[in-house]
Amino acid sequence: MRLSIVLTTAMLALAGGSAGAQELRIALIHGKTGPLEAYAKQTETGLRMGLEYATKGTMTIDGRKIVIITKDDQSKPDLSKAALAEAYQDDKADIAIGTTSSAAALAILPVAEENKKILIVEPAVADQITGDKWNRYVFRTGRNSSQDAISNAVAIGKPGVSVATLAQDYAFGRDGVAAFKEALAKTGATLVAEEYAPTTTTDFTAVGQRLFDALKDKPGRKIIWIIWAGAGNPPAKLQDMDPKRYGIELSTGGNILPALAGYKIMPGMEGATYYYYEIPKNPVNDWLVAEHKKRFNSPPDFFTAGGFAAAMSVVTAVTKAKSTDTEKLIAAMEGMEFDTPKGKMVFRKEDHQALQSMYHFKVKVDPNVAWAVLEPVRELKIGDMNVPIRNKR
């Protein structure tokens, strides 16, 4: 009788282990409430659609059912750390994806290292994530500040151009300007001023006047380049201050569609973007655009593409590694190419940053479209951008 009980217990334990092995558990940490809520919701939509596409609708990889565990960190670093630790330890997540805020993402990098589990950073942008705060368990499908900065510098920077910058006063903004300054120097343009404002700023009168004063007497083309995430809408606020009276233009990178509605007051503005649904031409993007319009009656947005890319990287990695063992995944993912709505991405071996195309655009206003249309000027391919390696590997 005693032997029977022991055997039964052992069999149950084996069955439990087998059941666990039949699931691929993916945790998504995102700021679903708070200032970056729109970004987080798009990331989740893209992740779910990407997993569906990559698994041909089965939502399984090698017979393992995909389970998505979502956790809202409210874009707060402490909550993000707790959420990721809980996902790895209590929810037994094999892989985690996140998070929305750069400050929160920087806080959770050590959690991945402590738990020796893969963290795919999407969509946080700060260079430090794959720079000096990086560790070997961190991969990023999202673009980094350098990719944003280099593509925008290439779009607007030429000899004889004077540029001033406006950015948010935290990691995203300061990393972005540092990378932009470095890239702009190579174009022959001159950076004449930097201004940083709190993320909660709504009145840009004083900062705008300082930027105008720095530029107004400069010869040649004069541009204010803005890097901003979330609310506040500084491009519109600065445009209301009539920079044209000084011959000053505005420039900024791409953004989500509701924010692009504000770009309609800036026809002809040039910049560079991570994604705009009409620009990439490939089968993955064709499917995403068609399906998203069918399901949501709207095109996919900026961060939808990012969530989709993260999903494609997971499926490619697990299929290639034939395992969710961390060391096997790292070996599979370093140098790995994978398809996304933007075309091919590749995880650079040195820092696990996904190298990817960016898009130089010009704003076109179409009265029949609620937002500014980003017309492609040029695709900036992986080889067109010398993205620095900033970690100490």
Side-chain angles (χ1 to χ4, degrees), residues 134-360:
W134 174 87
N135 64 68
R136 65 191 293 269
Y137 302 96
V138 174
F139 289 78
R140 174 159 49 186
T141 48
R143 88 283 186 202
N144 66 13
S145 290
S146 289
Q147 287 164 316
D148 267 350
I150 292 165
S151 57
N152 276 277
V154 168
I156 66 172
K158 291 178 179 61
V161 176
S162 296
V163 182
T165 62
L166 170 60
Q168 285 163 310
D169 194 8
Y170 79 114
F172 166 71
R174 289 196 172 266
D175 275 14
V177 170
F180 178 77
K181 190 193 308 188
E182 191 178 312
L184 192 71
K186 296 172 184 173
T187 71
T190 303
L191 185 69
V192 299
E194 299 171 38
E195 287 285 343
Y196 298 92
T199 58
T200 53
T201 303
T202 55
D203 182 353
F204 292 89
T205 308
V207 73
Q209 195 57 57
R210 288 197 296 273
L211 289 165
F212 290 180
D213 289 345
L215 283 169
K216 64 184 182 183
D217 297 325
K218 300 294 181 189
R221 195 174 178 196
K222 301 180 278 281
I223 301 172
I224 296 172
W225 184 66
I226 302 161
I227 175 170
W228 200 268
N233 197 4
K237 302 287 177 61
L238 294 187
Q239 189 77 349
D240 287 345
M241 293 174 66
D242 192 19
K244 282 186 180 172
R245 73 186 190 274
Y246 300 118
I248 296 170
E249 304 170 49
L250 302 182
S251 175
T252 189
N255 211 319
I256 61 174
L257 298 177
L260 291 187
Y263 289 26
K264 293 187 85 170
I265 61 172
M266 299 178 284
M269 184 192 80
E270 291 185 62
T273 190
Y274 164 81
Y275 179 79
Y276 180 72
Y277 67 97
E278 290 184 326
I279 296 179
K281 305 298 181 189
N282 61 69
V284 181
N285 195 52
D286 291 347
W287 184 89
L288 172 59
V289 172
E291 282 298 313
H292 201 280
K293 285 181 174 178
K294 190 191 301 181
R295 297 177 194 188
F296 303 105
N297 199 31
S298 66
D301 213 336
F302 204 85
F303 296 102
T304 321
F308 202 110
M312 297 287 280
S313 75
V314 169
V315 174
T316 306
V318 174
T319 303
K320 185 179 175 187
K322 295 182 171 57
S323 172
T324 50
D325 173 78
T326 299
E327 292 304 320
K328 289 179 181 175
L329 284 172
I330 291 172
M333 293 170 77
E334 289 190 337
M336 183 182 84
E337 289 189 4
F338 53 101
D339 288 320
T340 80
K342 297 176 59 177
K344 289 276 185 196
M345 288 189 188
V346 56
F347 281 131
R348 183 162 57 183
K349 187 173 183 179
E350 291 83 357
D351 62 357
H352 302 174
Q353 173 61 46
L355 302 179
Q356 57 196 281
S357 289
M358 300 287 281
Y359 308 100
H360 177 184

Side-chain angles (χ1 to χ4, degrees), residues 12-52:
L12 283 169
L14 284 169
S18 172
Q22 288 168 6
E23 291 181 346
L24 172 61
R25 299 176 70 77
I26 301 170
L28 173 64
I29 316 296
H30 57 345
K32 205 165 182 178
T33 54
L36 304 178
E37 174 186 343
Y39 302 177
K41 287 180 175 176
Q42 290 175 22
T43 301
E44 182 173 350
T45 297
L47 176 67
R48 292 182 185 277
M49 291 184 74
L51 290 170
E52 179 186 340

